[in-house]
Amino acid sequence: MILVYDTAVERNPKVLKSCRKYLHWTQRSVFQSELTTAQYRALMAALKTTIDPD
């Protein structure tokens, strides 16, 4: 999985912390790793509580 994000500055630390739990930090807002289905679901649940899609 490769994850790239662009969020408001005040949300960056929260997103970074959530992503670091499951993925390897490649650069700035880019992460990569292989995840199991359970890890993927947990990561998405953590991000949904942090990121506002609007």
mmCIF file of all heavy atoms in Angstrom:
data_model
loop_
_atom_site.group_PDB
_atom_site.id
_atom_site.type_symbol
_atom_site.label_atom_id
_atom_site.label_comp_id
_atom_site.label_asym_id
_atom_site.label_seq_id
_atom_site.Cartn_x
_atom_site.Cartn_y
_atom_site.Cartn_z
ATOM 1 N N MET A 1 0.837 -1.162 0.000
ATOM 2 C CA MET A 1 0.000 0.000 0.000
ATOM 3 C C MET A 1 0.885 1.229 0.000
ATOM 4 O O MET A 1 1.874 1.286 0.714
ATOM 5 C CB MET A 1 -0.903 0.005 1.241
ATOM 6 C CG MET A 1 -1.651 1.274 1.442
ATOM 7 S SD MET A 1 -2.688 1.178 2.898
ATOM 8 C CE MET A 1 -3.775 2.512 2.530
ATOM 9 N N ILE A 2 0.517 2.200 -0.793
ATOM 10 C CA ILE A 2 1.163 3.506 -0.769
ATOM 11 C C ILE A 2 0.089 4.513 -0.403
ATOM 12 O O ILE A 2 -0.969 4.552 -1.011
ATOM 13 C CB ILE A 2 1.790 3.855 -2.130
ATOM 14 C CG1 ILE A 2 2.895 2.853 -2.461
ATOM 15 C CG2 ILE A 2 2.333 5.274 -2.115
ATOM 16 C CD1 ILE A 2 3.464 3.015 -3.848
ATOM 17 N N LEU A 3 0.359 5.313 0.622
ATOM 18 C CA LEU A 3 -0.593 6.303 1.087
ATOM 19 C C LEU A 3 0.060 7.680 0.996
ATOM 20 O O LEU A 3 1.169 7.878 1.475
ATOM 21 C CB LEU A 3 -0.977 6.019 2.537
ATOM 22 C CG LEU A 3 -2.020 6.947 3.140
ATOM 23 C CD1 LEU A 3 -3.051 6.128 3.889
ATOM 24 C CD2 LEU A 3 -1.390 7.962 4.040
ATOM 25 N N VAL A 4 -0.627 8.608 0.360
ATOM 26 C CA VAL A 4 -0.178 9.994 0.257
ATOM 27 C C VAL A 4 -1.329 10.865 0.731
ATOM 28 O O VAL A 4 -2.469 10.670 0.329
ATOM 29 C CB VAL A 4 0.190 10.360 -1.204
ATOM 30 C CG1 VAL A 4 0.629 11.803 -1.300
ATOM 31 C CG2 VAL A 4 1.255 9.426 -1.742
ATOM 32 N N TYR A 5 -1.033 11.837 1.601
ATOM 33 C CA TYR A 5 -2.094 12.692 2.088
ATOM 34 C C TYR A 5 -1.707 14.162 1.998
ATOM 35 O O TYR A 5 -0.540 14.513 1.959
ATOM 36 C CB TYR A 5 -2.486 12.333 3.521
ATOM 37 C CG TYR A 5 -1.450 12.686 4.565
ATOM 38 C CD1 TYR A 5 -1.430 13.940 5.156
ATOM 39 C CD2 TYR A 5 -0.498 11.760 4.968
ATOM 40 C CE1 TYR A 5 -0.499 14.268 6.109
ATOM 41 C CE2 TYR A 5 0.445 12.079 5.912
ATOM 42 C CZ TYR A 5 0.439 13.333 6.494
ATOM 43 O OH TYR A 5 1.378 13.656 7.434
ATOM 44 N N ASP A 6 -2.724 14.995 1.971
ATOM 45 C CA ASP A 6 -2.564 16.444 1.988
ATOM 46 C C ASP A 6 -3.708 16.977 2.837
ATOM 47 O O ASP A 6 -4.864 16.955 2.415
ATOM 48 C CB ASP A 6 -2.615 17.011 0.574
ATOM 49 C CG ASP A 6 -2.389 18.508 0.535
ATOM 50 O OD1 ASP A 6 -1.783 19.047 1.483
ATOM 51 O OD2 ASP A 6 -2.819 19.139 -0.439
ATOM 52 N N THR A 7 -3.393 17.401 4.062
ATOM 53 C CA THR A 7 -4.428 17.856 4.982
ATOM 54 C C THR A 7 -4.129 19.268 5.465
ATOM 55 O O THR A 7 -3.055 19.803 5.227
ATOM 56 C CB THR A 7 -4.509 16.946 6.226
ATOM 57 O OG1 THR A 7 -3.250 16.989 6.906
ATOM 58 C CG2 THR A 7 -4.846 15.522 5.861
ATOM 59 N N ALA A 8 -5.072 19.820 6.180
ATOM 60 C CA ALA A 8 -4.863 21.118 6.814
ATOM 61 C C ALA A 8 -3.739 20.986 7.842
ATOM 62 O O ALA A 8 -3.570 19.932 8.468
ATOM 63 C CB ALA A 8 -6.147 21.577 7.492
ATOM 64 N N VAL A 9 -2.976 22.036 8.010
ATOM 65 C CA VAL A 9 -1.791 22.008 8.868
ATOM 66 C C VAL A 9 -2.104 21.512 10.282
ATOM 67 O O VAL A 9 -1.331 20.737 10.851
ATOM 68 C CB VAL A 9 -1.138 23.406 8.917
ATOM 69 C CG1 VAL A 9 0.001 23.455 9.906
ATOM 70 C CG2 VAL A 9 -0.659 23.807 7.537
ATOM 71 N N GLU A 10 -3.214 21.917 10.838
ATOM 72 C CA GLU A 10 -3.532 21.517 12.211
ATOM 73 C C GLU A 10 -3.838 20.027 12.344
ATOM 74 O O GLU A 10 -3.774 19.468 13.433
ATOM 75 C CB GLU A 10 -4.684 22.348 12.784
ATOM 76 C CG GLU A 10 -6.008 22.182 12.085
ATOM 77 C CD GLU A 10 -6.204 23.125 10.901
ATOM 78 O OE1 GLU A 10 -5.292 23.910 10.566
ATOM 79 O OE2 GLU A 10 -7.275 23.070 10.293
ATOM 80 N N ARG A 11 -4.135 19.344 11.259
ATOM 81 C CA ARG A 11 -4.429 17.906 11.312
ATOM 82 C C ARG A 11 -3.204 17.048 10.995
ATOM 83 O O ARG A 11 -3.221 15.843 11.241
ATOM 84 C CB ARG A 11 -5.550 17.558 10.329
ATOM 85 C CG ARG A 11 -6.853 18.134 10.773
ATOM 86 C CD ARG A 11 -7.992 17.548 9.987
ATOM 87 N NE ARG A 11 -9.220 18.171 10.473
ATOM 88 C CZ ARG A 11 -10.191 18.574 9.714
ATOM 89 N NH1 ARG A 11 -10.134 18.404 8.433
ATOM 90 N NH2 ARG A 11 -11.255 19.127 10.229
ATOM 91 N N ASN A 12 -2.172 17.614 10.440
ATOM 92 C CA ASN A 12 -1.001 16.836 10.034
ATOM 93 C C ASN A 12 -0.416 15.957 11.149
ATOM 94 O O ASN A 12 -0.147 14.787 10.905
ATOM 95 C CB ASN A 12 0.081 17.730 9.451
ATOM 96 C CG ASN A 12 -0.204 18.130 8.025
ATOM 97 O OD1 ASN A 12 -1.079 17.578 7.379
ATOM 98 N ND2 ASN A 12 0.528 19.100 7.536
ATOM 99 N N PRO A 13 -0.195 16.473 12.363
ATOM 100 C CA PRO A 13 0.377 15.604 13.406
ATOM 101 C C PRO A 13 -0.487 14.391 13.734
ATOM 102 O O PRO A 13 0.038 13.299 13.970
ATOM 103 C CB PRO A 13 0.506 16.535 14.617
ATOM 104 C CG PRO A 13 0.529 17.902 14.048
ATOM 105 C CD PRO A 13 -0.322 17.848 12.807
ATOM 106 N N LYS A 14 -1.797 14.566 13.725
ATOM 107 C CA LYS A 14 -2.703 13.453 14.029
ATOM 108 C C LYS A 14 -2.666 12.394 12.928
ATOM 109 O O LYS A 14 -2.639 11.194 13.203
ATOM 110 C CB LYS A 14 -4.125 13.961 14.221
ATOM 111 C CG LYS A 14 -4.291 14.832 15.440
ATOM 112 C CD LYS A 14 -5.689 15.378 15.539
ATOM 113 C CE LYS A 14 -5.832 16.314 16.718
ATOM 114 N NZ LYS A 14 -7.165 16.890 16.788
ATOM 115 N N VAL A 15 -2.662 12.835 11.686
ATOM 116 C CA VAL A 15 -2.608 11.903 10.558
ATOM 117 C C VAL A 15 -1.260 11.192 10.545
ATOM 118 O O VAL A 15 -1.186 9.976 10.352
ATOM 119 C CB VAL A 15 -2.863 12.641 9.222
ATOM 120 C CG1 VAL A 15 -2.653 11.711 8.040
ATOM 121 C CG2 VAL A 15 -4.265 13.222 9.202
ATOM 122 N N LEU A 16 -0.196 11.938 10.763
ATOM 123 C CA LEU A 16 1.149 11.357 10.796
ATOM 124 C C LEU A 16 1.247 10.263 11.855
ATOM 125 O O LEU A 16 1.753 9.171 11.593
ATOM 126 C CB LEU A 16 2.179 12.453 11.059
ATOM 127 C CG LEU A 16 3.633 12.012 11.197
ATOM 128 C CD1 LEU A 16 4.157 11.448 9.887
ATOM 129 C CD2 LEU A 16 4.495 13.175 11.642
ATOM 130 N N LYS A 17 0.731 10.541 13.039
ATOM 131 C CA LYS A 17 0.777 9.571 14.131
ATOM 132 C C LYS A 17 -0.005 8.295 13.790
ATOM 133 O O LYS A 17 0.461 7.180 14.023
ATOM 134 C CB LYS A 17 0.228 10.205 15.406
ATOM 135 C CG LYS A 17 0.391 9.366 16.631
ATOM 136 C CD LYS A 17 -0.071 10.118 17.860
ATOM 137 C CE LYS A 17 0.091 9.283 19.102
ATOM 138 N NZ LYS A 17 -0.332 10.002 20.303
ATOM 139 N N SER A 18 -1.180 8.462 13.206
ATOM 140 C CA SER A 18 -1.999 7.299 12.827
ATOM 141 C C SER A 18 -1.301 6.468 11.759
ATOM 142 O O SER A 18 -1.278 5.237 11.837
ATOM 143 C CB SER A 18 -3.355 7.759 12.306
ATOM 144 O OG SER A 18 -4.097 8.369 13.313
ATOM 145 N N CYS A 19 -0.740 7.124 10.766
ATOM 146 C CA CYS A 19 -0.079 6.413 9.672
ATOM 147 C C CYS A 19 1.174 5.680 10.136
ATOM 148 O O CYS A 19 1.463 4.572 9.691
ATOM 149 C CB CYS A 19 0.280 7.380 8.543
ATOM 150 S SG CYS A 19 -1.138 8.016 7.652
ATOM 151 N N ARG A 20 1.921 6.298 11.041
ATOM 152 C CA ARG A 20 3.157 5.671 11.535
ATOM 153 C C ARG A 20 2.905 4.379 12.296
ATOM 154 O O ARG A 20 3.797 3.554 12.421
ATOM 155 C CB ARG A 20 3.924 6.640 12.417
ATOM 156 C CG ARG A 20 4.717 7.640 11.633
ATOM 157 C CD ARG A 20 5.555 8.451 12.569
ATOM 158 N NE ARG A 20 6.729 8.951 11.887
ATOM 159 C CZ ARG A 20 7.609 9.746 12.442
ATOM 160 N NH1 ARG A 20 7.443 10.131 13.697
ATOM 161 N NH2 ARG A 20 8.655 10.161 11.771
ATOM 162 N N LYS A 21 1.702 4.195 12.824
ATOM 163 C CA LYS A 21 1.383 2.961 13.540
ATOM 164 C C LYS A 21 1.370 1.757 12.604
ATOM 165 O O LYS A 21 1.648 0.631 13.016
ATOM 166 C CB LYS A 21 0.021 3.077 14.224
ATOM 167 C CG LYS A 21 0.003 3.999 15.405
ATOM 168 C CD LYS A 21 -1.379 4.015 16.020
ATOM 169 C CE LYS A 21 -1.470 4.990 17.159
ATOM 170 N NZ LYS A 21 -2.829 5.036 17.730
ATOM 171 N N TYR A 22 1.015 1.983 11.334
ATOM 172 C CA TYR A 22 0.807 0.876 10.406
ATOM 173 C C TYR A 22 1.728 0.876 9.193
ATOM 174 O O TYR A 22 1.887 -0.155 8.552
ATOM 175 C CB TYR A 22 -0.648 0.902 9.899
ATOM 176 C CG TYR A 22 -1.651 0.768 11.007
ATOM 177 C CD1 TYR A 22 -2.255 1.884 11.565
ATOM 178 C CD2 TYR A 22 -1.982 -0.481 11.516
ATOM 179 C CE1 TYR A 22 -3.174 1.770 12.598
ATOM 180 C CE2 TYR A 22 -2.893 -0.609 12.543
ATOM 181 C CZ TYR A 22 -3.478 0.522 13.080
ATOM 182 O OH TYR A 22 -4.383 0.395 14.109
ATOM 183 N N LEU A 23 2.305 2.031 8.859
ATOM 184 C CA LEU A 23 3.056 2.163 7.617
ATOM 185 C C LEU A 23 4.458 2.708 7.872
ATOM 186 O O LEU A 23 4.725 3.292 8.914
ATOM 187 C CB LEU A 23 2.323 3.117 6.655
ATOM 188 C CG LEU A 23 0.878 2.765 6.331
ATOM 189 C CD1 LEU A 23 0.194 3.935 5.645
ATOM 190 C CD2 LEU A 23 0.826 1.532 5.461
ATOM 191 N N HIS A 24 5.342 2.521 6.883
ATOM 192 C CA HIS A 24 6.701 3.056 6.948
ATOM 193 C C HIS A 24 6.701 4.436 6.307
ATOM 194 O O HIS A 24 6.238 4.615 5.188
ATOM 195 C CB HIS A 24 7.682 2.147 6.206
ATOM 196 C CG HIS A 24 7.724 0.760 6.761
ATOM 197 N ND1 HIS A 24 8.343 0.466 7.943
ATOM 198 C CD2 HIS A 24 7.192 -0.392 6.315
ATOM 199 C CE1 HIS A 24 8.205 -0.824 8.199
ATOM 200 N NE2 HIS A 24 7.499 -1.371 7.216
ATOM 201 N N TRP A 25 7.234 5.406 7.050
ATOM 202 C CA TRP A 25 7.294 6.784 6.587
ATOM 203 C C TRP A 25 8.387 6.919 5.542
ATOM 204 O O TRP A 25 9.560 6.691 5.812
ATOM 205 C CB TRP A 25 7.567 7.697 7.763
ATOM 206 C CG TRP A 25 7.364 9.158 7.524
ATOM 207 C CD1 TRP A 25 6.674 9.733 6.512
ATOM 208 C CD2 TRP A 25 7.835 10.224 8.339
ATOM 209 N NE1 TRP A 25 6.675 11.096 6.646
ATOM 210 C CE2 TRP A 25 7.388 11.421 7.768
ATOM 211 C CE3 TRP A 25 8.590 10.281 9.497
ATOM 212 C CZ2 TRP A 25 7.681 12.662 8.312
ATOM 213 C CZ3 TRP A 25 8.873 11.517 10.033
ATOM 214 C CH2 TRP A 25 8.420 12.677 9.444
ATOM 215 N N THR A 26 8.043 7.265 4.302
ATOM 216 C CA THR A 26 8.989 7.381 3.197
ATOM 217 C C THR A 26 9.510 8.810 3.080
ATOM 218 O O THR A 26 10.710 9.037 3.032
ATOM 219 C CB THR A 26 8.324 6.957 1.867
ATOM 220 O OG1 THR A 26 7.807 5.645 2.040
ATOM 221 C CG2 THR A 26 9.313 6.953 0.740
ATOM 222 N N GLN A 27 8.612 9.777 3.003
ATOM 223 C CA GLN A 27 8.978 11.195 2.957
ATOM 224 C C GLN A 27 7.747 12.024 3.258
ATOM 225 O O GLN A 27 6.631 11.576 3.012
ATOM 226 C CB GLN A 27 9.567 11.591 1.607
ATOM 227 C CG GLN A 27 8.561 11.592 0.461
ATOM 228 C CD GLN A 27 9.181 11.946 -0.867
ATOM 229 O OE1 GLN A 27 10.082 11.267 -1.297
ATOM 230 N NE2 GLN A 27 8.715 13.003 -1.472
ATOM 231 N N ARG A 28 7.947 13.203 3.809
ATOM 232 C CA ARG A 28 6.865 14.139 4.158
ATOM 233 C C ARG A 28 5.518 13.457 4.403
ATOM 234 O O ARG A 28 5.305 12.905 5.447
ATOM 235 C CB ARG A 28 6.718 15.208 3.080
ATOM 236 C CG ARG A 28 7.880 16.103 2.982
ATOM 237 C CD ARG A 28 7.584 17.387 3.670
ATOM 238 N NE ARG A 28 8.734 18.286 3.544
ATOM 239 C CZ ARG A 28 8.966 19.231 4.391
ATOM 240 N NH1 ARG A 28 8.163 19.424 5.403
ATOM 241 N NH2 ARG A 28 10.012 19.997 4.234
ATOM 242 N N SER A 29 4.637 13.440 3.428
ATOM 243 C CA SER A 29 3.307 12.857 3.608
ATOM 244 C C SER A 29 3.122 11.594 2.778
ATOM 245 O O SER A 29 2.036 11.312 2.298
ATOM 246 C CB SER A 29 2.242 13.886 3.240
ATOM 247 O OG SER A 29 2.413 14.300 1.906
ATOM 248 N N VAL A 30 4.179 10.821 2.625
ATOM 249 C CA VAL A 30 4.140 9.584 1.843
ATOM 250 C C VAL A 30 4.537 8.408 2.741
ATOM 251 O O VAL A 30 5.563 8.442 3.403
ATOM 252 C CB VAL A 30 5.096 9.654 0.623
ATOM 253 C CG1 VAL A 30 5.054 8.360 -0.164
ATOM 254 C CG2 VAL A 30 4.767 10.852 -0.249
ATOM 255 N N PHE A 31 3.701 7.389 2.733
ATOM 256 C CA PHE A 31 3.935 6.176 3.511
ATOM 257 C C PHE A 31 3.776 4.971 2.609
ATOM 258 O O PHE A 31 3.051 5.020 1.612
ATOM 259 C CB PHE A 31 2.915 6.055 4.645
ATOM 260 C CG PHE A 31 3.036 7.118 5.676
ATOM 261 C CD1 PHE A 31 2.452 8.354 5.502
ATOM 262 C CD2 PHE A 31 3.750 6.876 6.824
ATOM 263 C CE1 PHE A 31 2.565 9.338 6.454
ATOM 264 C CE2 PHE A 31 3.873 7.855 7.792
ATOM 265 C CZ PHE A 31 3.280 9.092 7.608
ATOM 266 N N GLN A 32 4.440 3.865 2.983
ATOM 267 C CA GLN A 32 4.257 2.627 2.229
ATOM 268 C C GLN A 32 4.462 1.432 3.144
ATOM 269 O O GLN A 32 5.175 1.510 4.137
ATOM 270 C CB GLN A 32 5.204 2.544 1.044
ATOM 271 C CG GLN A 32 6.667 2.454 1.400
ATOM 272 C CD GLN A 32 7.538 2.406 0.167
ATOM 273 O OE1 GLN A 32 7.121 2.731 -0.925
ATOM 274 N NE2 GLN A 32 8.764 1.987 0.346
ATOM 275 N N SER A 33 3.821 0.341 2.807
ATOM 276 C CA SER A 33 3.951 -0.908 3.550
ATOM 277 C C SER A 33 2.973 -1.927 2.993
ATOM 278 O O SER A 33 2.087 -1.593 2.216
ATOM 279 C CB SER A 33 3.664 -0.679 5.030
ATOM 280 O OG SER A 33 3.958 -1.828 5.778
ATOM 281 N N GLU A 34 3.138 -3.148 3.414
ATOM 282 C CA GLU A 34 2.157 -4.190 3.118
ATOM 283 C C GLU A 34 1.323 -4.375 4.375
ATOM 284 O O GLU A 34 1.852 -4.494 5.464
ATOM 285 C CB GLU A 34 2.861 -5.498 2.751
ATOM 286 C CG GLU A 34 3.555 -5.433 1.414
ATOM 287 C CD GLU A 34 4.115 -6.774 0.968
ATOM 288 O OE1 GLU A 34 3.552 -7.812 1.377
ATOM 289 O OE2 GLU A 34 5.100 -6.771 0.241
ATOM 290 N N LEU A 35 0.012 -4.369 4.209
ATOM 291 C CA LEU A 35 -0.895 -4.490 5.340
ATOM 292 C C LEU A 35 -1.796 -5.701 5.187
ATOM 293 O O LEU A 35 -2.183 -6.050 4.077
ATOM 294 C CB LEU A 35 -1.790 -3.249 5.442
ATOM 295 C CG LEU A 35 -1.126 -1.904 5.672
ATOM 296 C CD1 LEU A 35 -2.184 -0.808 5.668
ATOM 297 C CD2 LEU A 35 -0.350 -1.879 6.958
ATOM 298 N N THR A 36 -2.142 -6.282 6.322
ATOM 299 C CA THR A 36 -3.164 -7.313 6.304
ATOM 300 C C THR A 36 -4.514 -6.605 6.200
ATOM 301 O O THR A 36 -4.612 -5.393 6.380
ATOM 302 C CB THR A 36 -3.135 -8.143 7.598
ATOM 303 O OG1 THR A 36 -3.470 -7.288 8.695
ATOM 304 C CG2 THR A 36 -1.774 -8.789 7.823
ATOM 305 N N THR A 37 -5.549 -7.361 5.951
ATOM 306 C CA THR A 37 -6.890 -6.779 5.859
ATOM 307 C C THR A 37 -7.276 -6.113 7.175
ATOM 308 O O THR A 37 -7.832 -5.022 7.186
ATOM 309 C CB THR A 37 -7.920 -7.861 5.486
ATOM 310 O OG1 THR A 37 -7.510 -8.461 4.257
ATOM 311 C CG2 THR A 37 -9.307 -7.277 5.320
ATOM 312 N N ALA A 38 -6.950 -6.740 8.284
ATOM 313 C CA ALA A 38 -7.284 -6.180 9.598
ATOM 314 C C ALA A 38 -6.526 -4.877 9.851
ATOM 315 O O ALA A 38 -7.099 -3.914 10.375
ATOM 316 C CB ALA A 38 -6.969 -7.183 10.690
ATOM 317 N N GLN A 39 -5.251 -4.832 9.477
ATOM 318 C CA GLN A 39 -4.466 -3.610 9.644
ATOM 319 C C GLN A 39 -5.013 -2.489 8.766
ATOM 320 O O GLN A 39 -5.090 -1.340 9.195
ATOM 321 C CB GLN A 39 -2.995 -3.860 9.304
ATOM 322 C CG GLN A 39 -2.268 -4.714 10.296
ATOM 323 C CD GLN A 39 -0.885 -5.100 9.803
ATOM 324 O OE1 GLN A 39 -0.680 -5.346 8.619
ATOM 325 N NE2 GLN A 39 0.058 -5.139 10.729
ATOM 326 N N TYR A 40 -5.387 -2.824 7.541
ATOM 327 C CA TYR A 40 -5.950 -1.834 6.626
ATOM 328 C C TYR A 40 -7.239 -1.235 7.195
ATOM 329 O O TYR A 40 -7.417 -0.023 7.207
ATOM 330 C CB TYR A 40 -6.214 -2.468 5.259
ATOM 331 C CG TYR A 40 -6.921 -1.541 4.299
ATOM 332 C CD1 TYR A 40 -6.218 -0.559 3.621
ATOM 333 C CD2 TYR A 40 -8.293 -1.637 4.092
ATOM 334 C CE1 TYR A 40 -6.869 0.309 2.751
ATOM 335 C CE2 TYR A 40 -8.952 -0.790 3.224
ATOM 336 C CZ TYR A 40 -8.230 0.183 2.547
ATOM 337 O OH TYR A 40 -8.876 1.048 1.700
ATOM 338 N N ARG A 41 -8.106 -2.084 7.695
ATOM 339 C CA ARG A 41 -9.375 -1.613 8.264
ATOM 340 C C ARG A 41 -9.131 -0.740 9.493
ATOM 341 O O ARG A 41 -9.810 0.273 9.690
ATOM 342 C CB ARG A 41 -10.267 -2.793 8.611
ATOM 343 C CG ARG A 41 -10.839 -3.469 7.393
ATOM 344 C CD ARG A 41 -11.726 -4.615 7.748
ATOM 345 N NE ARG A 41 -12.218 -5.264 6.539
ATOM 346 C CZ ARG A 41 -12.657 -6.499 6.499
ATOM 347 N NH1 ARG A 41 -12.704 -7.222 7.603
ATOM 348 N NH2 ARG A 41 -13.078 -7.015 5.362
ATOM 349 N N ALA A 42 -8.180 -1.119 10.330
ATOM 350 C CA ALA A 42 -7.866 -0.332 11.524
ATOM 351 C C ALA A 42 -7.296 1.032 11.146
ATOM 352 O O ALA A 42 -7.657 2.054 11.748
ATOM 353 C CB ALA A 42 -6.883 -1.096 12.410
ATOM 354 N N LEU A 43 -6.430 1.067 10.150
ATOM 355 C CA LEU A 43 -5.857 2.328 9.681
ATOM 356 C C LEU A 43 -6.942 3.235 9.115
ATOM 357 O O LEU A 43 -7.008 4.420 9.431
ATOM 358 C CB LEU A 43 -4.777 2.073 8.628
ATOM 359 C CG LEU A 43 -4.198 3.318 7.948
ATOM 360 C CD1 LEU A 43 -3.564 4.256 8.959
ATOM 361 C CD2 LEU A 43 -3.198 2.916 6.873
ATOM 362 N N MET A 44 -7.821 2.694 8.285
ATOM 363 C CA MET A 44 -8.886 3.494 7.695
ATOM 364 C C MET A 44 -9.835 4.024 8.770
ATOM 365 O O MET A 44 -10.288 5.170 8.700
ATOM 366 C CB MET A 44 -9.670 2.680 6.660
ATOM 367 C CG MET A 44 -8.875 2.367 5.403
ATOM 368 S SD MET A 44 -8.378 3.837 4.510
ATOM 369 C CE MET A 44 -6.617 3.789 4.719
ATOM 370 N N ALA A 45 -10.126 3.225 9.777
ATOM 371 C CA ALA A 45 -10.994 3.676 10.872
ATOM 372 C C ALA A 45 -10.324 4.817 11.638
ATOM 373 O O ALA A 45 -10.988 5.802 11.991
ATOM 374 C CB ALA A 45 -11.308 2.518 11.806
ATOM 375 N N ALA A 46 -9.031 4.712 11.895
ATOM 376 C CA ALA A 46 -8.303 5.773 12.603
ATOM 377 C C ALA A 46 -8.279 7.055 11.778
ATOM 378 O O ALA A 46 -8.452 8.151 12.321
ATOM 379 C CB ALA A 46 -6.885 5.310 12.909
ATOM 380 N N LEU A 47 -8.088 6.936 10.486
ATOM 381 C CA LEU A 47 -8.027 8.118 9.628
ATOM 382 C C LEU A 47 -9.392 8.779 9.462
ATOM 383 O O LEU A 47 -9.481 10.002 9.377
ATOM 384 C CB LEU A 47 -7.436 7.760 8.264
ATOM 385 C CG LEU A 47 -5.953 7.383 8.273
ATOM 386 C CD1 LEU A 47 -5.515 6.975 6.879
ATOM 387 C CD2 LEU A 47 -5.097 8.518 8.799
ATOM 388 N N LYS A 48 -10.447 7.991 9.442
ATOM 389 C CA LYS A 48 -11.792 8.557 9.291
ATOM 390 C C LYS A 48 -12.181 9.432 10.479
ATOM 391 O O LYS A 48 -12.950 10.371 10.331
ATOM 392 C CB LYS A 48 -12.827 7.449 9.096
ATOM 393 C CG LYS A 48 -12.802 6.871 7.706
ATOM 394 C CD LYS A 48 -13.849 5.790 7.529
ATOM 395 C CE LYS A 48 -13.739 5.196 6.145
ATOM 396 N NZ LYS A 48 -14.708 4.119 5.934
ATOM 397 N N THR A 49 -11.634 9.143 11.650
ATOM 398 C CA THR A 49 -11.930 9.973 12.821
ATOM 399 C C THR A 49 -11.112 11.265 12.812
ATOM 400 O O THR A 49 -11.475 12.216 13.489
ATOM 401 C CB THR A 49 -11.650 9.213 14.132
ATOM 402 O OG1 THR A 49 -10.268 8.892 14.212
ATOM 403 C CG2 THR A 49 -12.491 7.962 14.233
ATOM 404 N N THR A 50 -10.039 11.307 12.036
ATOM 405 C CA THR A 50 -9.140 12.457 12.003
ATOM 406 C C THR A 50 -9.387 13.359 10.807
ATOM 407 O O THR A 50 -9.366 14.577 10.918
ATOM 408 C CB THR A 50 -7.669 11.979 11.966
ATOM 409 O OG1 THR A 50 -7.439 11.101 13.060
ATOM 410 C CG2 THR A 50 -6.720 13.139 12.045
ATOM 411 N N ILE A 51 -9.632 12.776 9.638
ATOM 412 C CA ILE A 51 -9.740 13.539 8.402
ATOM 413 C C ILE A 51 -11.190 13.901 8.114
ATOM 414 O O ILE A 51 -12.075 13.050 8.172
ATOM 415 C CB ILE A 51 -9.154 12.723 7.231
ATOM 416 C CG1 ILE A 51 -7.669 12.504 7.446
ATOM 417 C CG2 ILE A 51 -9.392 13.432 5.918
ATOM 418 C CD1 ILE A 51 -7.025 11.597 6.432
ATOM 419 N N ASP A 52 -11.404 15.154 7.793
ATOM 420 C CA ASP A 52 -12.722 15.637 7.376
ATOM 421 C C ASP A 52 -12.723 15.672 5.851
ATOM 422 O O ASP A 52 -12.002 16.462 5.252
ATOM 423 C CB ASP A 52 -12.977 17.029 7.939
ATOM 424 C CG ASP A 52 -14.301 17.609 7.528
ATOM 425 O OD1 ASP A 52 -15.146 16.865 6.990
ATOM 426 O OD2 ASP A 52 -14.507 18.803 7.762
ATOM 427 N N PRO A 53 -13.515 14.843 5.181
ATOM 428 C CA PRO A 53 -13.466 14.772 3.720
ATOM 429 C C PRO A 53 -13.896 16.060 3.009
ATOM 430 O O PRO A 53 -13.595 16.255 1.858
ATOM 431 C CB PRO A 53 -14.410 13.619 3.373
ATOM 432 C CG PRO A 53 -15.252 13.419 4.570
ATOM 433 C CD PRO A 53 -14.478 13.931 5.744
ATOM 434 N N ASP A 54 -14.569 16.939 3.715
ATOM 435 C CA ASP A 54 -14.990 18.198 3.118
ATOM 436 C C ASP A 54 -13.845 19.161 3.136
ATOM 437 O O ASP A 54 -13.691 20.060 2.430
ATOM 438 C CB ASP A 54 -16.190 18.787 3.848
ATOM 439 C CG ASP A 54 -17.419 17.885 3.685
ATOM 440 O OD1 ASP A 54 -17.519 17.175 2.677
ATOM 441 O OD2 ASP A 54 -18.246 17.898 4.614
#
